[in-house]
Amino acid sequence: MGLAGFITALAASALSLVISFIPVQFTNILLSLFLVFLSIMCRVIPTRTSLKACLAACAVLTFIFRFSYMTLIGKLLYAVLMIAVVVGAVLMHMGTNQYIVKGGEKE
Amino acid sequence: MITIFGILSIALPLLALVLQCVFAGFSILCIPSIAAAIFAAVAFWKKGPVLSAVTFFLSFIQICTLNIQLTAILGLLSTIAAVFLMLECERFQEAHPELIDPKAATKHMIIGFIMPCVIALLVMYAYPVIRTFFMSFFNMPNISAPISQWEFVGLGKYMKIFQSQAFIRSLQNMLMIWVIGGIITLAFALLFAVILTSGIRGKKFFRAAIYMPNVISAVALATMWIQYIFNQQYGMLNSLIKFFNGTPINWLATDMKFWAMLASFIFGAVGYYMLIFISGIEKIPADLYEAATIDGASKAQQAFKITFPLLKGVTKTNLTFWTINTATFYLWSKMFSPVDTEASVIVPVMYLYDTAFPSKGSQQADAGAAAAVGIVLAIIILAVYLIMNKLIKDDDIEL
């Protein structure tokens, strides 16, 4: 579940990074880069709940901040992608919880 | 490590702020950077994960607000530094559980949750208020002119507005609305409230009926009064006068317009104040009335000896609301003189609007004078509130 969450979040963040180049929107690129960074961080340090919470919150904030700067298609696409990032963060969190419940130890 | 990330979290937003100021000048867009640097410093000092999380979000906001590519990249870097600071703070607290003050964690959590609202309040409310205050001492080409174009004139704008006949007339009109309208509105509101809480039948219906004008849009209500009640040919009032063989009156002529406007405004306002009075009356314990009834007090005596004295606090609230309502009176005035502002119905807010955004091409916009009007209004409201606080003391009901 953790891996699936990571792939979902990373893929959605990376896709948002790609569409930030069509047309080039500098702020969108930076925000998407940060989402990619956070997704990777969530995988590297899976026991930190705060990172996943930040990833989900940043996805929501990214959409809110950039809402007025996007076209209708961009808004729809971004909405789907940001929801995917949130879902990914939740899956990663659930995966970590499952691991701990099954007997894994926290770092 | 915590030291490195702490310093980076403080330094990067500050660097972004300096570059932003150098290349684009200081503006409201710089506020997240300042806030991020301050929070980073506090988070680093307290080693608080929640505070560093707030730093992280403020740094994240920077990416959007800093509008130069270089500063936006610095914003991104400071956000990444803030993430590491948060992780390091968490690690530090786990490594040193003896240093954790359980109360401090709660305090940090409270600060963290309150901060977004405080920042929003400062940006949305405090900033315009402070800017308006400073604007009232300056001459500027228009309301959104950059600070570099402001020219200090001291109290010149205040002198200007108090020398203006239109402003003095608007203050007189406001005073008349406040005194005459206030007495009539609050008297009717209190009367209706006392009647409706005296146990009459159909209380809910009458309460809803009297409150109904507040539900209707004020524009629709004003139009209704102008077209259906005050219309010289077909209006209800003149129809009544004609029915009794009287001479129709032009209610919307210059000399009558103010009173027509005041009457329609009072009609719309009574219900609101009545509801506040009702809530005050319903708070008075029934025992007092029962005791008074046993002692042989009539309904009128109960109203004068129990209800009115115990409504001091509610009356003060109503008076404050009425003062604010009167000071911000605009819509009715605009509806009764839609094309050109007439002296008979001019009020300070209308004067303010006309000064800031003149409708006539020949008039020049004066944002400084408009700001001065706003400050004068705020002072009036504050003064009235303070005087009422001194004069009317709340009498808490003792049981």
Side-chain angles (χ1 to χ4, degrees), chain B residues 227-345:
Chain B
Q227 300 297 334
Y228 301 143
I229 314 279
F230 294 131
N231 188 291
Q232 200 177 355
Q233 277 183 303
Y234 314 107
M236 195 185 79
L237 282 176
N238 277 350
S239 300
L240 276 174
I241 291 171
K242 279 179 199 165
F243 182 75
F244 291 108
N245 292 326
T247 315
I249 300 166
N250 185 2
W251 299 100
L252 299 174
T254 310
D255 55 335
M256 291 296 290
K257 207 174 222 182
F258 177 80
W259 302 108
M261 180 185 75
L262 189 59
S264 45
F265 176 59
I266 289 170
F267 171 81
V270 167
Y272 177 72
Y273 297 96
M274 178 197 75
L275 273 196
I276 300 174
F277 274 130
I278 287 177
S279 70
I281 293 171
E282 283 177 348
K283 240 172 65 180
I284 300 171
D287 316 17
L288 296 175
Y289 293 104
E290 282 168 18
T293 312
I294 292 165
D295 288 345
S298 65
K299 285 278 180 196
Q301 280 174 320
Q302 286 178 17
F304 281 100
K305 301 280 182 186
I306 300 171
T307 311
F308 296 160
L310 289 176
L311 280 180
K312 273 184 186 175
V314 180
T315 310
K316 192 167 78 179
T317 310
N318 266 346
L319 272 172
T320 310
F321 284 158
W322 177 254
T323 309
I324 296 167
N325 230 345
T326 314
T328 55
F329 191 91
Y330 174 74
L331 203 141
W332 290 84
S333 186
K334 190 73 192 164
M335 289 304 293
F336 274 77
S337 63
V339 182
D340 205 1
T341 307
E342 288 178 35
S344 57
V345 290

Side-chain angles (χ1 to χ4, degrees), chain A residues 14-71:
Chain A
L15 202 57
S16 76
L17 180 63
V18 171
I19 62 167
S20 302
F21 284 91
I22 332 165
V24 176
Q25 283 189 310
F26 190 71
T27 309
N28 279 9
I29 294 169
L30 291 184
L31 294 171
S32 305
L33 263 177
F34 186 69
L35 289 180
V36 172
F37 162 77
L38 264 188
S39 305
I40 295 167
M41 285 294 288
C42 286
R43 184 66 186 168
V44 175
I45 316 171
T47 47
R48 295 288 169 196
T49 311
S50 52
L51 276 179
K52 285 144 209 162
C54 286
L55 176 63
C58 282
V60 176
L61 285 177
T62 301
F63 183 66
I64 294 170
F65 286 157
R66 304 305 295 168
F67 187 79
S68 52
Y69 297 94
M70 289 186 271
T71 58

Side-chain angles (χ1 to χ4, degrees), chain B residues 118-283:
Chain B
V118 172
I119 291 166
L121 192 75
L122 287 176
V123 173
M124 304 289 181
Y125 181 74
Y127 172 72
V129 169
I130 294 165
R131 189 183 158 97
T132 305
F133 177 73
F134 283 112
M135 271 168 68
S136 67
F137 299 105
F138 287 87
N139 198 10
M140 64 203 66
N142 57 60
I143 205 157
S144 56
I147 295 171
S148 56
Q149 291 177 16
W150 293 15
E151 182 196 342
F152 185 70
V153 288
L155 292 172
K157 294 296 174 192
Y158 290 92
M159 304 278 275
K160 184 187 169 184
I161 60 167
F162 279 105
Q163 281 165 359
S164 158
Q165 285 295 318
F167 182 64
I168 299 297
R169 182 66 197 264
S170 74
L171 282 181
Q172 285 170 352
N173 284 346
M174 189 184 84
L175 188 70
M176 273 159 64
I177 294 168
W178 189 67
V179 176
I180 302 169
I183 291 169
I184 299 171
T185 307
L186 296 183
F188 269 112
L190 185 59
L191 179 72
F192 288 143
V194 171
I195 293 171
L196 289 180
T197 48
S198 64
I200 61 157
R201 278 187 186 178
K203 174 188 160 183
K204 281 183 182 170
F205 168 76
F206 287 115
R207 195 170 58 188
I210 297 169
Y211 188 73
M212 192 63 81
N214 286 278
V215 181
I216 302 166
S217 152
V219 176
L221 204 61
T223 311
M224 189 186 83
W225 273 87
I226 293 166
Q227 300 297 334
Y228 301 143
I229 314 279
F230 294 131
N231 188 291
Q232 200 177 355
Q233 277 183 303
Y234 314 107
M236 195 185 79
L237 282 176
N238 277 350
S239 300
L240 276 174
I241 291 171
K242 279 179 199 165
F243 182 75
F244 291 108
N245 292 326
T247 315
I249 300 166
N250 185 2
W251 299 100
L252 299 174
T254 310
D255 55 335
M256 291 296 290
K257 207 174 222 182
F258 177 80
W259 302 108
M261 180 185 75
L262 189 59
S264 45
F265 176 59
I266 289 170
F267 171 81
V270 167
Y272 177 72
Y273 297 96
M274 178 197 75
L275 273 196
I276 300 174
F277 274 130
I278 287 177
S279 70
I281 293 171
E282 283 177 348
K283 240 172 65 180

